[in-house]
Amino acid sequence: GIAPLIFFLEVKLYQREHMNIDIGKICLFFGCRGNYDALFKSKLRELKKSKILSGYYIAYSRKNNVPKTYVNHLIEKKEIEKRNIITKSCKKGYVYICGSTGLSNNVNASLETILGTKKFKSLLNHNR
């Protein structure tokens, strides 16, 4: 679920505001079925307003009257933003992804396509 990521973001907020740590850019991708599943939307808006999040994107897989969208689809749509966060601010860029574990292969494939195999594998090898 998204709750652990909200905690990570709260830690980043604390680090920035109380420890004067440069937290870099953070982008969050979150997958859920519909609005009833989109927990913490007001908290995400608050974190974006406070500039902890540079962006957050919610993929709805079963929202009424909306085509199915999964996290990997959003990642592909936001390719330029992620590439900038991951490669241009490599030391201080984070992309948090929250969704079904069954989609992890698709998400990894999308990230590898966007970043290139060499960069993607390098980030994995460095636990990024």
Side-chain angles (χ1 to χ4, degrees), residues 14-108:
Y14 181 87
Q15 289 173 332
R16 185 187 74 192
E17 292 185 354
H18 299 284
M19 300 170 73
N20 204 25
I21 294 174
D22 178 13
I23 61 163
K25 293 183 180 255
I26 302 171
C27 185
L28 171 69
F29 290 86
F30 172 43
C32 60
R33 292 180 182 102
N35 282 331
Y36 60 90
D37 251 358
L39 305 174
F40 299 104
K41 278 171 73 172
S42 61
K43 187 64 173 173
L44 293 173
R45 282 191 293 272
E46 178 186 314
L47 290 165
K48 186 168 186 337
K49 186 177 179 182
S50 68
K51 299 187 178 175
I52 292 301
L53 283 172
S54 63
Y56 70 92
Y57 308 96
I58 302 174
Y60 295 99
S61 63
R62 290 174 182 81
K63 191 172 180 181
N64 291 335
N65 303 316
V66 176
K68 283 186 178 187
T69 305
Y70 295 103
V71 171
N72 58 301
H73 298 140
L74 287 181
I75 287 171
E76 292 162 6
K77 285 181 185 175
K78 302 295 178 184
E79 172 182 344
I80 293 170
E81 180 179 357
K82 263 174 330 320
R83 186 181 296 143
N84 287 340
I85 288 171
I86 295 172
T87 60
K88 294 205 165 114
S89 58
C90 215
K91 294 178 184 167
K92 292 289 182 181
Y94 304 91
V95 175
Y96 292 161
I97 300 171
C98 180
S100 165
T101 56
L103 295 176
S104 64
N105 289 338
N106 292 338
V107 167
N108 284 340

